[in-house]
Amino acid sequence: MAKKSYRQAINDAIRQEMLADPRVVVMGEDNAGGIEAPGEDDAWGGVLGVTKGLMPEFGRERVLDTPISESAFIGAAAGAAATGLRPVAELMFVDFMGVCFDQIFNQAGKFRYMFGGKAVTPLVVRTMYGAGFRAASQHSQCLYPIFTHVPGLKVVLPSSPYEAKGLMIQAIRDDDPVIFLEHKVMYDDEEDVPDESYTIPFGEANLTREGDDVTVVAFGRMVGLANAAADALEKDGISCTVVDPRTTSPLDTDTILECVEETGRLVIVDEASPRCNMATDISALVAQEAFGALKAPVRMVSPPHTPVPFAPELEDAYIPSQAKIETAIRGVMAH
């Protein structure tokens, strides 16, 4: 088993599905290229190189560079999915969803329901999210709660290269529209990733740590920080279960509730803005379904309710950190 980066794992998944199924196509701004050739062939393979090398292997009929018009090519991808292809469309930054959201939530997400279950829309929208890249407020948001709110969409947040490959293959094979969110700070993260094709099912959480005292639910990049906090506190005799839901829609509510019932304490780590994010959603779930099991109030670790700052010192202070997670865990233990 070879070590692969988060970027390579996603590329691997798309490439293997393109080899297996001629209906899989890639489209987006600068998605072609990557062969270090002169002229127009010397594109990037996407803004951070995720699709690099696909165009030379599969040709321009299956790896399409699009105009800078998200409303046009996301709409085209939805139409292509409804008429027989399996497009993987790249919305460069999730912050740009505002110009193509109608195509996603009011069209693609409703096709199955509007046509009595007879239409399928096997569309994957890949998109970057998250702060820490010094990309300022218009390129650093975590807008996955907005997609999670929409019935008909599946929403994926891989927390590692292994998850990225298995979840991407699952996404491409799914017959419903999938929003696949890639944290831009994680593209160079590496771990062992199988060369062969494999899938990770949606709606099945992964327990990355198991303990008796506190349940920590974290999403995407926050899973790694939650693991680091759990490892640090283990030395002080505090043992944590860390839950990585992997998908926010469908959400594995059974695993979350079972873990909370076992530990009696809950900390939720969510990089999205604190109003109406996943942390508030899970807090409400536990308050309704497992209130009697709680030994302490639920703690949420989220950024302040402001746009992502551009100044590096402020951006670092804005993002949930290992130290903030440790403080929250100690807080529920001390209650």
Side-chain angles (χ1 to χ4, degrees):
M1 190 182 300
K3 282 195 179 303
K4 295 177 184 174
S5 69
Y6 192 80
R7 175 190 292 105
Q8 290 169 327
I10 298 167
N11 182 290
D12 229 22
I14 298 171
R15 179 178 173 276
Q16 289 179 351
E17 287 306 288
M18 292 184 79
L19 284 170
D21 188 342
R23 297 171 298 171
V24 179
V25 300
V26 169
M27 57 198 303
E29 298 155 4
D30 292 327
N31 270 200
I35 57 173
E36 299 180 355
E40 66 176 7
D41 286 340
D42 192 22
W44 297 332
V47 66
L48 291 180
V50 176
T51 55
K52 190 171 185 174
L54 296 180
M55 190 279 285
E57 184 169 355
F58 297 101
R60 289 192 178 277
E61 290 188 353
R62 295 185 65 192
V63 182
L64 295 86
D65 276 344
T66 66
I68 304 176
S69 177
E70 288 81 3
S71 60
F73 73 77
I74 294 295
T83 51
L85 295 179
R86 307 187 81 87
V88 180
E90 180 180 328
L91 176 61
M92 191 178 288
F93 293 91
V94 73
D95 313 77
F96 303 162
M97 61 167 282
V99 295
C100 59
F101 198 39
D102 183 74
Q103 288 82 342
I104 296 172
F105 95 96
N106 216 20
Q107 305 298 331
K110 293 186 170 73
F111 285 164
R112 178 185 291 278
Y113 302 90
M114 291 170 62
F115 299 113
K118 297 178 180 177
V120 296
T121 311
L123 164 66
V124 179
V125 177
R126 292 183 42 239
T127 187
M128 287 191 289
Y129 77 102
F133 200 67
R134 311 307 187 214
S137 60
Q138 294 175 321
H139 302 79
S140 301
Q141 297 169 93
C142 294
L143 301 175
Y144 44 82
I146 297 175
F147 295 104
T148 305
H149 179 74
V150 178
L153 300 180
K154 295 176 179 174
V155 183
V156 181
L157 289 161
S159 67
S160 68
Y162 177 84
E163 284 193 359
K165 179 171 178 176
L167 289 168
M168 173 56 81
I169 293 175
Q170 179 73 25
I172 294 172
R173 295 179 184 179
D174 200 285
D175 281 338
D176 291 315
V178 177
I179 311 299
F180 193 93
L181 292 120
E182 303 164 12
H183 201 296
K184 60 180 79 70
V185 173
M186 297 179 65
Y187 277 126
D188 292 323
D189 288 0
E190 288 188 339
E191 70 176 356
D192 289 337
V193 177
D195 291 327
E196 62 271 17
S197 177
Y198 62 93
T199 60
I200 296 175
F202 292 166
E204 292 189 14
N206 182 37
L207 303 186
T208 62
R209 300 287 187 280
E210 293 192 53
D212 299 324
D213 297 320
V214 181
T215 297
V216 183
V217 179
F219 297 90
R221 184 190 176 207
M222 297 297 106
V223 174
L225 297 176
N227 287 337
D231 292 344
L233 292 172
E234 186 77 37
K235 298 168 186 169
D236 294 337
I238 300 173
S239 66
C240 299
T241 292
V242 178
V243 182
D244 169 11
R246 292 173 164 165
T247 58
T248 59
S249 184
L251 181 67
D252 187 353
T253 56
D254 289 346
T255 294
I256 292 170
L257 291 170
E258 287 168 9
C259 291
V260 171
E261 286 167 354
E262 288 174 5
T263 64
R265 302 178 183 87
L266 174 62
V267 171
I268 311 160
V269 189
D270 188 350
E271 194 183 335
S273 297
R275 300 284 88 80
C276 302
N277 66 4
M278 292 309 302
T280 59
D281 186 66
I282 291 172
S283 295
L285 169 75
V286 171
Q288 180 168 287
E289 303 294 339
F291 185 79
L294 289 174
K295 302 173 183 173
V298 174
R299 292 284 184 101
M300 297 180 282
V301 183
S302 295
H305 197 52
T306 69
V308 180
F310 183 49
E313 298 84 356
L314 294 178
E315 185 178 20
D316 290 343
Y318 169 93
I319 302 168
S321 64
Q322 178 183 334
K324 292 175 183 173
I325 299 167
E326 289 182 27
T327 299
I329 294 171
R330 290 186 188 280
V332 297
M333 286 297 293
H335 185 80

